[in-house]
C-alpha cells in the first residue's frame, strides 16, 4: 500500500475567491504512482473549503453571491467579540464542506465529465494550506 | 487489499427527485467480498448529490422544499448567460454535499439504526452516474 | 493494513449542542497504532453531524443560531405528520454534513493549526453514537 502526502499553498489576492486545483491534484496523483485508490483533498484552515463543481466563471459568481446570501458577512456575530471579523467565513466552510475524497481508477482521478476540483477561500489574502493525501496500490 | 468499483445509473422521471440506493450499495459491498473497509458513494454529475438520511417520504418533501428555499430555481443567475438554466442545481449539490464514505465492519455497512443512503437529483430526466468504490480486506 | 473501529456515545443535556471530540479521536488514533492512514468520524444518527471548525464558544453560538436561521425548528413540516417533531434536525444534518475523513501522518492527526473536531447535536437528550474507524499502516 502506498501513501503519498503533499500540501498546496494559497495566498489569494482577493478576500473571497474560487481557485481551480484539478491539475494540481492530478499532478500529485501522478507522482504517487497509485493506480487504484483514493485522494483526500482537505482545507486545513477553518475559513476555507474544497468542493467539486463546474469550471464556469459565471457560476463561480453565483456560488459566491449565494454563499453571501446564506451566510452573510458583517452581521453582529458573537465570534467578533474576540476581535475576529470572519464568522461568516467559518459558516461558509460548513455550508460548502471542507474536503472531498476522490476515487482513482486505472491511475487517474475517476471524475464525472464536468467534475472539477476547487479551493473556496472565504477569508484570504494570507497563507493557507490544503492537504492532498493519496493512498492505494 | 481489495478494490471493487461499480457505477449506478440514474434517469429520473422528475427533474428533482430523491432515490433510495441503500440496497444497491449493499449489493456492491457484498460482491466486493470486503469484510473490513469502506465504500465511497459519489455523484459524478455536478447537479446531483449523495447523502445519508431518513427513509420517510414526508421528510423527502420537506428536504426538497428546503433545498428550494435555500437555493431557489429561476433566479437571474449569471450561469444562465451560457444558455444553461440549472444554476440552482449546482448550488443544491454544494448544500447537500455530493458524496458519502461508508464504513464496512464484519462484511456489512456499519450504519446507524435509521441511516439510509440517497441519491439527490436536482436536474434530472437524463442519464447520470454515481460511482461506488469499495476497498478493504 | 490495520483497521480499528470504536464508537463514541453521546447523551447531551441540551436538545441542541456542540461537543468537542478532538481528544477522543486522538486517543482512538493512538490506540490504533496507525502511523500513516486515515480516520473516518461519522454521526450514526440522522439528526446529528460531525464537522471540523473552531474551538471558540462565541462562534458555537453563531453556528447554532445560523443553523436555526437556515433550517428553522417549529415549521409545519410534512415529516411531523408521522408524529415526529424534528424535521429541522434532519435538515441541519444535511447543512453541516455528517462525517469527516481525517488524514493521519507520522502517527498523528494531520490537521491545520486551528482545526478541531466537533459533534453537532440537533435533537439530543437521548443516547446516540459516532463511529470512529481508523485504517492504515
Amino acid at each position: 500500500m502506498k501513501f503519498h502526502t503533499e500540501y498546496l499553498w494559497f495566498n489569494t489576492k482577493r478576500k473571497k475567491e474560487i481557485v481551480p486545483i484539478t491539475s494540481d491534484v492530478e499532478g500529485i496523483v501522478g507522482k504517487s504512482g497509485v493506480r487504484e485508490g483514493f485522494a483526500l483533498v482537505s482545507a486545513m484552515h477553518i475559513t476555507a473549503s474544497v468542493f467539486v463543481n463546474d469550471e464556469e466563471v459565471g457560476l463561480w459568481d453565483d456560488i459566491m453571491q449565494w454563499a453571501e446570501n446564506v451566510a452573510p458577512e458583517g452581521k453582529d456575530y458573537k465570534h467578533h467579540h474576540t476581535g475576529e471579523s470572519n464568522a461568516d467565513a467559518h459558516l461558509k466552510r460548513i455550508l460548502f464542506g471542507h474536503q472531498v475524497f476522490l476515487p482513482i481508477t486505472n491511475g487517474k482521478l475517476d471524475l464525472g465529465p464536468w467534475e472539477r476540483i476547487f479551493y473556496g477561500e472565504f477569508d484570504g489574502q494570507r497563507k493557507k494550506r490544503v492537504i492532498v493525501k493519496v493512498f492505494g496500490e
Side-chain angles (χ1 to χ4, degrees), chain A:
Chain A
M1 185 68 42
K2 291 171 183 166
F3 289 92
H4 180 86
T5 306
E6 294 198 27
Y7 305 88
L8 300 173
W9 284 94
F10 299 87
N11 191 343
T12 59
K13 284 186 186 162
R14 286 174 291 160
K15 195 172 165 193
K16 309 201 179 188
E17 197 166 324
I18 291 175
V19 183
I21 59 172
T22 309
S23 59
D24 300 280
V25 176
E26 286 173 338
I28 294 170
V29 169
K31 276 200 277 177
S32 75
V34 166
R35 302 281 308 163
E36 198 66 28
F38 296 87
L40 173 71
V41 186
S42 188
M44 302 182 79
H45 293 255
I46 51 187
T47 50
S49 77
V50 171
F51 62 101
V52 170
N53 216 292
D54 200 358
E55 186 102 26
E56 201 279 293
V57 293
L59 184 68
W60 297 354
D61 284 348
D62 295 329
I63 288 172
M64 283 310 214
Q65 182 58 56
W66 175 72
E68 207 51 45
N69 296 346
V70 177
E73 193 180 339
K75 286 179 69 176
D76 181 28
Y77 294 108
K78 287 190 183 175
H79 185 47
H80 297 176
H81 302 174
T82 65
E84 292 284 355
S85 60
N86 61 1
D88 70 296
H90 290 278
L91 301 177
K92 288 176 173 96
R93 170 181 162 105
I94 294 175
L95 179 62
F96 279 66
H98 76 281
Q99 55 182 201
V100 295
F101 195 59
L102 306 169
I104 300 167
T105 307
N106 295 325
K108 295 202 170 163
L109 289 176
D110 198 348
L111 299 175
W114 301 102
E115 286 193 308
R116 294 293 176 273
I117 314 160
F118 299 98
Y119 173 70
E121 176 62 83
F122 305 120
D123 186 26
Q125 300 173 321
R126 49 202 176 100
K127 285 184 78 180
K128 292 189 176 179
R129 276 195 305 169
V130 164
I131 185 170
V132 182
K133 194 171 184 99
V134 184
F135 82 96
E137 294 181 343

